Amino acid sequence: MIANLFEKISYKAYLSSVIFSFLTVFFIQFCKNNGIFSAEIVIRGVVFWGIFLFYILMITYFENRYAYSNYSSIHLLSFPLAFLFFPHGPGLIVSKIFLGLMLIYSKYVYGKIFFSDNSAKNLFNLSFIFSAILIYNNSLAIFYLIPLSILFQQKYRDIKHLTCFLLPVIFLPLFINTIYNVTPEGFFGSFYSIMELNLWDFNIQSNSEFLWFIIITLSVYVTIFLRPRTYEQSLNPETISGFRFMSFWLYASIFMGFLGLHVGDGRWFLSFIPAAYFFGIFLAKIKSKIFKNYLIILSLITIIIFKLIDFKIL
């Protein structure tokens, strides 16, 4: 059965994830192009498949560098499975790839602040990343709340850590704005934008968005009821730090999604990685292999039929 392929992180799990990701990406390409394949669509699909795999492998690599992590082999399945539920737009632009990579890396940097000898340097790096992503959307300043919450902790409440936080916050946006003002209009393209408010309208949204809320609701459930237990937090503090970071990312993405503080067509783009992450934790917590397999198979059958109907293939 499918879940048995992802019992532990191994070559079998990696190969299964590669194949499953390939099938997922090309199924979505098939649906988005009305059941038609061409050389251009195939090339675009291969490129997107490569990017998608890179994301999964990057997350796996960083998670494996923690001594303890909430990440398990089932996440190699949860990301492509969650991708089937995601409300897909016309395509993935370069700026969104940049943003996703920066936020994935920031989770690793966040953990190093607490579990390395150079917390000030890592706080500077975290602040630098969050300052850099403002080039994509000013509303992403909400992520400054993460380093600010660190500064409120007594251990980091000093001039050194405050300075390391403020330097990128003050000078990097000034530098980016200077570059933007002296470059030709449109040079940054989709990378540079200003915050806009576009409230989510319940009455005009697609069926795919409502389906995505199943995964988001499940993810919120995990953040509340499947948090690492107290004894797990004391034994393995790295587990709760990563869990808190991804929880904030999820809640921030939901907040921005409902208010429409996004750029382009991807209202729920920011929610994909944390939602897939918590979906993986949910699957990992299911002890019964039989139930887990039936749940995965039922989800696959349901979402495939739904996508075929929603894209008017059937």
Side-chain angles (χ1 to χ4, degrees), residues 37-54:
F37 274 124
S38 65
E40 181 183 353
I41 294 172
V42 170
I43 292 173
R44 191 187 310 147
V46 170
V47 171
F48 188 88
W49 174 50
I51 295 171
F52 190 72
L53 277 179
F54 180 75

Side-chain angles (χ1 to χ4, degrees), residues 109-127 147 150-151 153 155-158 160-162 164-165:
V109 175
Y110 174 78
K112 288 180 67 177
I113 294 174
F114 303 103
F115 307 108
S116 70
D117 297 328
N118 202 337
S119 58
K121 175 186 175 183
N122 289 304
L123 181 61
F124 175 88
N125 292 338
L126 186 67
S127 181
I150 296 173
L151 291 174
Q153 299 182 34
K155 181 180 178 181
Y156 309 105
R157 201 184 305 162
D158 55 41
K160 180 180 179 181
H161 286 88
L162 179 61
C164 287
F165 165 69

Side-chain angles (χ1 to χ4, degrees), residues 240-260:
I240 191 61
S241 68
F243 196 94
R244 286 171 178 165
F245 183 94
M246 295 302 288
S247 297
F248 180 88
W249 183 350
L250 176 69
Y251 292 136
S253 69
I254 295 173
F255 173 76
M256 292 178 65
F258 276 115
L259 294 184

Side-chain angles (χ1 to χ4, degrees), residues 48 51 55 86-104 133 136-137 140 190-192 249 262-270 273:
F48 188 88
I51 295 171
Y55 268 72
F86 190 72
H88 300 281
L92 187 65
I93 58 178
V94 175
S95 57
K96 292 183 179 181
I97 298 173
F98 164 80
L99 176 60
L101 294 176
M102 289 296 98
L103 288 176
I104 290 170
I133 63 177
Y136 177 76
N137 191 332
L140 292 170
S190 60
F191 268 98
Y192 196 88
W249 183 350
H262 61 291
V263 176
D265 299 308
R267 180 181 289 269
W268 305 107
F269 165 73
L270 274 179
I273 291 176

Side-chain angles (χ1 to χ4, degrees), residues 152-303:
F152 278 106
Q153 299 182 34
Q154 187 174 3
K155 181 180 178 181
Y156 309 105
R157 201 184 305 162
D158 55 41
I159 297 298
K160 180 180 179 181
H161 286 88
L162 179 61
T163 303
C164 287
F165 165 69
L166 289 177
L167 283 175
V169 172
I170 295 172
F171 291 105
L172 188 58
L174 288 175
F175 174 76
I176 292 174
N177 283 327
T178 301
I179 297 297
Y180 178 74
N181 291 329
V182 300
T183 52
E185 186 177 353
F187 178 81
F188 281 91
S190 60
F191 268 98
Y192 196 88
S193 62
I194 59 175
M195 183 170 60
E196 297 180 358
L197 186 64
N198 180 22
L199 294 176
W200 187 75
D201 189 343
F202 178 86
N203 296 314
I204 63 173
Q205 300 310 311
S206 66
N207 295 328
S208 295
E209 286 188 285
F210 290 113
L211 196 65
W212 180 240
F213 287 157
I214 296 176
I215 301 297
I216 288 181
T217 303
L218 197 60
S219 300
V220 172
Y221 170 84
V222 173
T223 65
I224 298 172
F225 297 106
L226 297 181
R227 293 169 57 85
R229 298 176 182 177
T230 304
Y231 76 89
E232 292 176 327
Q233 297 179 28
S234 58
L235 290 175
N236 311 320
E238 290 180 349
T239 60
I240 191 61
S241 68
F243 196 94
R244 286 171 178 165
F245 183 94
M246 295 302 288
S247 297
F248 180 88
W249 183 350
L250 176 69
Y251 292 136
S253 69
I254 295 173
F255 173 76
M256 292 178 65
F258 276 115
L259 294 184
L261 304 176
H262 61 291
V263 176
D265 299 308
R267 180 181 289 269
W268 305 107
F269 165 73
L270 274 179
S271 68
F272 173 72
I273 291 176
Y277 178 86
F278 288 116
F279 183 46
I281 293 178
F282 174 79
L283 292 176
K285 292 292 184 179
I286 300 176
K287 301 302 181 183
S288 172
K289 292 183 180 179
I290 295 177
F291 179 73
K292 186 185 299 186
N293 275 303
Y294 278 126
L295 178 62
I296 293 170
I297 293 172
L298 180 62
S299 299
L300 280 172
I301 294 173
T302 302
I303 192 59

